[in-house]
């Protein structure tokens, strides 16, 4: 178990942001045969090992090692400083840790929308911090944690954020290339801004080269074919086939992963009860700390009355945006004076027009705004208030007549051909 390995770490102050052992996580025992010792093995997420790939054949212990990593973070780091979000396409073991105060969400194969939302949320954190670092003159996460502790930055919800993915290969098979590119961008650019990715895969070839080159931390469990080792083929051959959790580090040293339990037992029997005991220990230790925030999801319905108008008073609220869940406005009186709405059948195009019409007629007087509505499907009958109606058409003939009226109205607003340049410049 990881109980003994964490006792010294918990007792010290070095696991606080900026400490010598900050982002060191206990994961097992490291074998050093030349020194004839076995020492605690710590995964270091501070430097080049900020992202971690765990590769091994099925039943080699990858999911349990991910559980141990999350448990180790929970035992040694304050949940206000470290948050974990997990995507479990493996055996479901990460769901057992969903109640930990450090864990904001765990999603499986049936949670497609939620998984996409998690990735977008973390990419949003990177974008926001990129702007914050530039504006505040922060050169890295050490300065960010210091400024956050002193109340100098407004980002109070997230510290170091870990995205843990079990079974990378299956995840990338079931999601489109656009989603995979988003994950690749998160791995390539997120580390400087405190976003870490920990993933497991059956083979190194399951991780495309663009992603693999940006992952500095690597642990390799038993492989079905040691020749596929990315670390050391000779050392990979020495990993026993019948011992899950045994593997090699990036330097070729052998290690054995710990179990995610603190009850003193060193077997996988009753691991569920062991994890429950660990969660009780973690909850007790951090009872006065702020838990990881859940990932906010877009609601299934949004009422127009709940949306605030724009600060300038010139935009119309039409819904909620996924980043920050703040109202989204359309300003047809600004730089973008035209609007196109695209979508498949039954996706909400007509409802969006209703929302836009309601916002426009509610925000402007009838002498300021008139609307001409063409509605061949007759889905918007009665939507236009009489005082705001320039005209309504639902047939080609009615549309031709409405277009002629509109053309005449706009034509009357054009300046006369004989106006002098002085007169033109004097007109509003």
């Amino acid at each position: 178990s990881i109980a003994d390995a964490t006792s010294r770490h918990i007792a010290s102050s070095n696991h606080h942001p900026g400490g010598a052992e900050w982002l060191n996580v206990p994961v097992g025992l490291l074998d050093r045969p030349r020194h004839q010792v076995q020492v605690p093995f710590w995964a270091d997420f501070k430097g080049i090992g900020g992202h971690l790939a765990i590769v091994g054949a099925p039943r080699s212990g990858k999911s349990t090692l991910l559980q141990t990593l999350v448990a180790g973070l929970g035992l040694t780091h304050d949940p206000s400083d470290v948050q974990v979000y997990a995507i479990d396409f493996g055996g479901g073991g990460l769901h057992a840790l969903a109640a930990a105060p450090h864990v904001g969400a765990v999603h499986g194969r049936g949670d497609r929308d939620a998984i996409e939302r998690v990735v977008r949320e973390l990419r949003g954190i990177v974008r926001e911090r990129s702007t914050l670092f530039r504006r505040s003159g922060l050169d890295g996460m050490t300065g960010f944690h210091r400024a956050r502790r002193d109340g100098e930055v407004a980002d109070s919800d997230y510290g170091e954020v870990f995205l843990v993915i079990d079974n990378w290969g299956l995840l990338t098979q079931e999601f489109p290339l656009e989603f995979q590119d988003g994950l690749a961008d998160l791995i390539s650019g997120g580390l400087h801004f405190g976003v870490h990715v920990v993933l497991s895969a059956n083979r190194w070839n399951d991780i495309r080269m663009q992603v693999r080159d940006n992952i500095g931390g690597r642990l390799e469990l038993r492989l079905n074919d040691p020749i596929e080792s990315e670390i050391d083929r000779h050392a990979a051959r020495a990993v026993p086939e019948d011992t899950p959790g045994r593997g090699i580090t990036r330097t070729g040293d052998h290690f054995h992963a710990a179990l995610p339990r603190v009850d003193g037992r060193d077997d996988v029997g009753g691991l569920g009860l062991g994890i429950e005991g660990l969660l009780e220990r973690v909850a007790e230790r951090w009872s006065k700390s702020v838990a990881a925030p859940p990932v906010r999801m877009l609601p299934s319905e949004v009422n127009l009355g709940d949306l605030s108008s724009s600060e300038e008073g010139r935009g119309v609220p039409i819904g909620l945006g996924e980043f920050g869940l703040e109202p989204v406005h359309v300003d047809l009186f600004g730089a973008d004076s035209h609007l196109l709405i695209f979508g498949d059948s039954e996706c909400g195009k007509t409802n969006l027009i209703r929302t836009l019409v309601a916002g426009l007629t509610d925000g402007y007087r009838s002498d300021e705004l008139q609307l001409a509505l063409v509605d061949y499907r007759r889905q918007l009958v009665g939507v236009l208030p009489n005082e705001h109606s320039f005209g309504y058409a639902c047939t080609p003939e009615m549309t031709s007549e409405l277009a002629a009226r509109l053309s005449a109205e706009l034509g009357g607003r054009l300046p006369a051909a004989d106006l002098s340049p002085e007169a033109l410049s004097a007109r509003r």
Side-chain angles (χ1 to χ4, degrees):
S1 72
I2 60 174
D4 295 336
T6 57
S7 59
R8 173 182 60 84
H9 196 72
I10 292 176
S12 72
S13 62
N14 289 331
H15 65 282
H16 294 298
E21 296 178 352
W22 170 241
L23 291 184
N24 280 12
V25 183
V27 294
L29 287 177
L30 186 66
D31 187 24
R32 291 180 173 170
R34 293 183 180 179
H35 300 88
Q36 297 184 345
V37 295
Q38 292 181 339
V39 297
F41 177 39
W42 302 81
D44 186 359
F45 289 94
K46 291 196 304 296
I48 62 172
H51 298 311
L52 175 64
I54 301 171
V55 175
R59 313 298 298 175
S60 62
K62 299 186 299 297
S63 297
T64 303
L65 180 50
L66 289 177
Q67 288 180 308
T68 299
L69 275 167
V70 175
L73 282 169
L75 286 169
T76 56
H77 292 77
D78 193 307
S80 64
D81 294 326
V82 172
Q83 297 84 36
V84 176
Y85 299 87
I87 300 173
D88 194 337
F89 272 50
L94 292 175
H95 287 275
L97 296 163
H102 300 71
V103 179
V106 180
H107 297 297
R109 295 183 65 178
D111 306 322
R112 190 181 187 91
D113 291 342
I115 290 172
E116 293 178 343
R117 175 72 182 126
V118 167
V119 175
R120 288 195 293 265
E121 180 77 9
L122 298 191
R123 295 182 67 190
I125 292 174
V126 172
R127 284 195 297 270
E128 291 173 2
R129 288 184 177 176
S130 175
T131 302
L132 174 66
F133 281 27
R134 184 172 58 253
R135 185 176 64 245
S136 303
L138 302 175
D139 58 357
M141 287 302 295
T142 300
F144 169 79
H145 285 295
R146 182 175 59 252
R148 183 169 177 255
R149 183 174 59 250
D150 296 340
E152 298 174 2
V153 297
D155 186 345
S156 59
D157 292 335
Y158 298 102
E160 303 278 346
V161 185
F162 284 77
L163 176 62
V164 179
I165 301 172
D166 194 6
N167 201 337
W168 174 272
L170 184 57
L171 175 70
T172 54
Q173 286 178 19
E174 297 199 0
F175 280 81
L177 185 60
E178 181 181 1
F179 175 81
Q180 298 178 43
D181 290 340
L183 278 175
D185 290 342
L186 188 65
I187 292 174
S188 64
L191 199 55
H192 180 69
F193 302 104
V195 177
H196 308 259
V197 176
V198 179
L199 62 90
S200 72
N202 292 338
R203 303 182 308 149
W204 288 108
N205 285 339
D206 290 343
I207 310 171
R208 63 184 186 183
M209 192 65 67
Q210 176 189 359
V211 173
R212 202 186 315 170
D213 288 345
N214 287 304
I215 298 178
R218 300 186 179 186
L219 296 177
E220 197 174 84
L221 301 177
R222 175 185 57 81
L223 300 174
N224 282 333
D225 189 352
I227 201 172
E228 296 180 353
S229 173
E230 287 274 320
I231 296 177
D232 187 327
R233 295 176 182 177
H234 178 74
R237 290 190 185 95
V239 176
E241 295 184 359
D242 56 351
T243 309
R246 187 70 63 84
I248 57 177
T249 69
R250 184 159 190 165
T251 59
D253 295 321
H254 282 251
F255 76 95
H256 193 87
L259 293 174
R261 60 192 312 165
V262 290
D263 54 6
R265 299 182 60 180
D266 58 358
D267 60 80
V268 296
L271 186 56
L273 293 176
I275 291 178
E276 290 180 8
L278 181 143
L279 292 177
E280 292 176 0
R281 174 83 66 88
V282 172
E284 180 182 359
R285 170 161 175 74
W286 306 111
S287 59
K288 297 182 180 180
S289 298
V290 179
V295 175
R296 296 181 297 171
M297 301 291 295
L298 285 170
S300 57
E301 292 184 358
V302 178
N303 294 319
L304 184 59
D306 297 333
L307 302 178
S308 61
S309 60
S310 66
E311 297 179 359
E312 298 80 4
R314 301 296 292 176
V316 176
I318 61 169
L320 291 177
E322 63 176 348
F323 294 113
L325 298 186
E326 297 293 333
V328 174
H329 297 83
V330 171
D331 187 3
L332 297 178
F333 303 97
D336 298 323
S337 57
H338 303 291
L339 175 65
L340 296 176
I341 302 172
F342 293 96
D344 292 332
S345 299
E346 304 298 326
C347 71
K349 300 186 297 297
T350 304
N351 182 72
L352 181 53
I353 292 177
R354 286 195 185 98
T355 299
L356 189 62
V357 169
L360 288 169
T361 55
D362 183 62
Y364 298 91
R365 302 190 309 269
S366 59
D367 60 341
E368 295 177 317
L369 176 72
Q370 293 284 298
L371 296 175
L373 184 59
V374 177
D375 177 27
Y376 279 14
R377 297 173 59 208
R378 304 184 186 185
Q379 299 294 309
L380 300 173
V381 176
V383 168
L384 276 182
N386 290 334
E387 62 272 18
H388 285 89
S389 177
F390 182 84
Y392 174 86
C394 60
T395 65
E397 294 77 12
M398 295 173 67
T399 303
S400 296
E401 189 274 333
L402 179 59
R405 288 177 50 213
L406 183 59
S407 177
E409 171 66 26
L410 297 181
R413 301 182 183 185
L414 295 175
D418 58 351
L419 282 180
S420 65
E422 292 77 12
L424 284 172
S425 62
R427 291 172 62 94
R428 290 194 306 164

